[in-house]
Amino acid sequence: MWIGAMFPGDANLYWGLCYLVLCPPVKLLQIVTEFCLIYHVRLAVLSMRLTLLLRRPYDFGEQTVAHWFPGHMARGIKQMRAKLTKIDCILEVHDARIPLSGRNPLFKEYLGIKPHLLILNKMDLADLSHQNRIDAQLKKEGVRKVIYTDCTREENIRQIIPAITERMGYNPRFHRAESPETCIMVTGIPNVGKSSLINALRRMHLKKGKASKVGGEPGITRSVLCRIQMSENPLIYLLDTPGVLSPRIESVETGMKLALCGTILDHLVGEDLIADYLLYTLNEHQQYRYVEHYELDGPCSNTETLLKKIAVKLGKTQRVKALTGVGDVNITLPNYTAAAYDFIRTFRKGSLGKVTLD
């Protein structure tokens, strides 16, 4: 910067080098010292700004784990156990964004005697650069086979039937050995795409439409349904089941990850808290697409500021009447709840970037 000021124009580099070569050693030492000082100061400021932005670690305060285990989940587990003698394989579906968090241990405890295949669905929303690490950890936990799927991509769905056949080959069918058909139970926690996967399998192998109701909220399927044919050759039937969370979520952080992915009803946790954790998560993963999406000046760490800007941008405001010393005054306030709702839904659709939370 000093050289550019002393020698403006196109000859900056040439004259600058000449100056450094010819200047006295004391002056050269002063220049180098000043440069290093400015460099380290700027680096320290940048580091401090990033530290403030990332808010490490996330402060959960006095939050407690949201337990959501309604009656239909308890009934679902009982129905699954009752159907166990009529199935040949367990197809567990989980969200690829939380591959290590929130899997229900009851599935392994009650249904573990059957061959098992883990499907990590919604791979289009996850950061797959962590796949090797995730696979290694799942293998340590006893998961022998994992398939990543996106219900809109056939190449991943095609792997499921061969994998099921392979898994069943390792286990005798006992009293079902004479049956020409295969029956598979589809399990998982709420809102991970079980019904969407069933419909995708039918669409691929039978060229037929929806057989199982789907939705973007947890709790759409509330009972173990009748058998749904998936394939003619081989003859395979699927059994859709309700999403069942673990009766005890291991930690507040796990609960927040589940809520962020939509497996727990938003109002049980609070849209404002989910939005705050989402902003922290995006900054932690250096995923700043929300800046462009909402036309912000830059990344931020203050959720209230972000939601206010989102509300104003989307027109999510409300006029309220305030009492003052000079009478009633109408003022416009941002609808923070509506802004948080949009922020969360935009993330869940994948519009704010791909993130793996584990």
Side-chain angles (χ1 to χ4, degrees):
M1 61 183 290
W2 313 273
I3 296 172
M6 290 184 289
F7 301 102
D10 297 333
N12 273 351
L13 181 60
Y14 173 77
W15 290 112
L17 291 174
C18 291
Y19 176 78
L20 290 177
V21 171
L22 299 176
C23 71
V26 176
K27 184 63 176 179
L28 180 60
L29 179 62
Q30 180 184 355
I31 292 174
V32 173
T33 303
E34 290 179 5
F35 174 79
C36 293
L37 179 61
I38 293 174
Y39 173 78
H40 282 96
V41 168
R42 287 183 175 179
L43 190 62
V45 171
L46 178 60
S47 177
M48 181 178 65
R49 287 178 178 175
L50 289 175
T51 301
L52 292 174
L53 183 63
L54 294 178
R55 293 190 290 168
R56 286 198 184 100
Y58 185 83
D59 182 12
F60 291 102
E62 301 298 322
Q63 295 295 327
T64 57
V65 179
H67 296 291
W68 185 46
F69 196 74
H72 76 270
M73 290 190 183
R75 289 193 301 271
I77 283 288
K78 291 181 180 179
Q79 291 172 337
M80 290 180 209
R81 297 181 70 182
K83 296 277 188 180
L84 201 57
T85 58
K86 299 180 180 180
I87 66 170
D88 301 295
C89 184
I90 302 293
L91 196 66
E92 181 187 353
V93 184
H94 200 61
D95 195 315
R97 293 169 294 181
I98 46 173
L100 305 177
S101 297
R103 289 179 58 217
N104 193 338
L106 293 182
F107 295 146
K108 185 174 182 180
E109 180 181 348
Y110 294 154
L111 313 176
I113 61 173
K114 294 292 183 177
H116 172 271
L117 176 64
L118 177 62
I119 303 294
L120 292 179
N121 199 27
K122 305 185 180 182
M123 61 177 290
D124 55 311
L125 304 178
D127 180 4
L128 297 182
S129 64
H130 301 277
Q131 184 173 343
N132 290 338
R133 174 180 61 84
I134 296 299
D135 290 347
Q137 181 60 38
L138 288 173
K139 190 174 182 179
K140 290 181 181 178
E141 296 177 6
V143 179
R144 297 181 180 179
K145 183 67 175 180
V146 182
I147 296 178
Y148 291 78
T149 61
D150 168 10
C151 290
T152 63
R153 296 171 57 184
E154 290 191 359
E155 60 267 27
N156 302 97
I157 303 297
R158 289 187 189 280
Q159 302 176 34
I160 294 178
I161 288 185
I164 289 173
T165 304
E166 178 187 359
R167 297 301 306 144
M168 289 177 51
Y170 298 128
N171 297 75
R173 297 181 68 192
F174 298 111
H175 63 284
R176 288 185 53 80
E178 302 300 323
S179 176
E181 65 185 38
T182 299
C183 189
I184 301 165
M185 180 179 287
V186 183
T187 66
I189 64 176
N191 202 26
V192 292
K194 296 183 297 297
S195 298
S196 296
L197 184 65
I198 290 175
N199 292 332
L201 287 166
R202 278 176 54 85
R203 189 168 58 248
M204 173 179 294
H205 296 287
L206 291 179
K207 309 302 180 185
K208 293 185 178 180
K210 294 181 179 180
S212 195
K213 187 177 180 181
V214 299
E217 300 289 341
I220 298 298
T221 304
R222 289 180 171 266
S223 63
V224 177
L225 304 178
C226 60
R227 298 192 312 169
I228 302 169
Q229 186 175 354
M230 183 189 79
S231 171
E232 284 278 4
N233 186 22
L235 184 57
I236 298 178
Y237 290 90
L238 296 175
L239 205 62
D240 196 6
T241 64
V244 180
L245 283 170
S246 172
R248 293 192 61 82
I249 298 174
E250 59 192 50
S251 67
V252 176
E253 184 174 10
T254 297
M256 290 303 302
K257 291 178 181 179
L258 293 170
L260 192 53
C261 292
T263 64
I264 300 176
L265 291 173
D266 290 346
H267 71 268
L268 294 175
V269 180
E271 286 87 351
D272 55 342
L273 184 58
I274 298 175
D276 186 59
Y277 185 70
L278 171 56
L279 179 59
Y280 163 80
T281 300
L282 293 174
N283 287 335
E284 178 75 10
H285 288 80
Q286 299 182 24
Q287 185 60 267
Y288 303 125
R289 194 176 297 181
Y290 69 90
V291 175
E292 178 183 357
H293 184 85
Y294 291 112
E295 300 177 358
L296 307 177
D297 295 332
C300 67
S301 61
N302 188 289
T303 307
E304 183 178 354
T305 301
L306 173 66
L307 295 182
K308 182 177 181 180
K309 292 181 178 179
I310 292 176
V312 172
K313 172 178 170 54
L314 301 179
K316 304 289 186 180
T317 57
Q318 50 193 358
R319 294 182 65 82
V320 298
K321 186 176 292 184
L323 298 176
T324 67
V326 294
D328 296 346
V329 176
N330 290 323
I331 59 176
T332 301
L333 295 177
N335 188 334
Y336 290 103
T337 301
Y341 181 89
D342 183 87
F343 186 39
I344 296 167
R345 292 305 183 282
T346 303
F347 166 75
R348 289 174 182 167
K349 290 188 299 183
S351 300
L352 301 183
K354 299 181 179 183
V355 175
T356 296
L357 302 176
D358 288 332

